[in-house]
Amino acid sequence: MARVVVTVPASARRGEIIEIKTLAAHRMETGFRHTQLGELIPRDIVTQFVCTYNGEEIFRAELHPAIAANPLIIFTTVATESGTLEFRWTGDNGFSASHTASITVT
């Protein structure tokens, strides 16, 4: 399992816009580089990130070879109700990582 870091406010007021920051540790290989012997280094990237809020998808990103290693993704959403945010990263070679965070809405 990859190391992931997620920053979500512990609480918010109903209707408040909250900022969510995510980072997944991944070395990201584009598939365009070669070894010193001239062999192509296979592509190994995070290809998709999805965030759900109480089971409803609120953010999705399709990632491509130009993305940086350890991709930092920052987005906002509206705090509607207390519950759980689930974060999922998937990629080449069976890469998969997930994380959950709770938020209390008053």
Side-chain angles (χ1 to χ4, degrees), residues 67-90:
I67 196 76
N70 307 322
L72 172 67
I73 300 171
I74 302 171
F75 60 98
T76 60
T77 192
V78 176
T80 56
E81 61 186 347
S82 296
T84 304
L85 291 123
E86 182 179 348
F87 307 89
R88 289 186 315 273
W89 296 261
T90 55

Side-chain angles (χ1 to χ4, degrees), residues 4-59:
V4 297
V5 178
V6 175
T7 303
V8 175
S11 63
R13 292 184 322 267
R14 187 172 313 280
E16 181 180 355
I17 296 173
I18 58 170
E19 181 179 74
I20 300 168
K21 297 179 183 179
T22 70
L23 180 121
H26 193 280
R27 61 183 180 84
M28 303 291 269
E29 185 56 58
T30 65
F32 298 119
R33 294 185 329 127
H34 294 83
T35 66
Q36 290 177 328
L37 300 174
E39 297 170 345
L40 188 63
I41 300 171
R43 186 178 100 156
D44 187 11
I45 67 170
V46 175
T47 57
Q48 187 174 83
F49 168 76
V50 177
C51 176
T52 60
Y53 185 0
N54 288 338
E56 183 179 333
E57 186 175 302
I58 60 167
F59 185 85

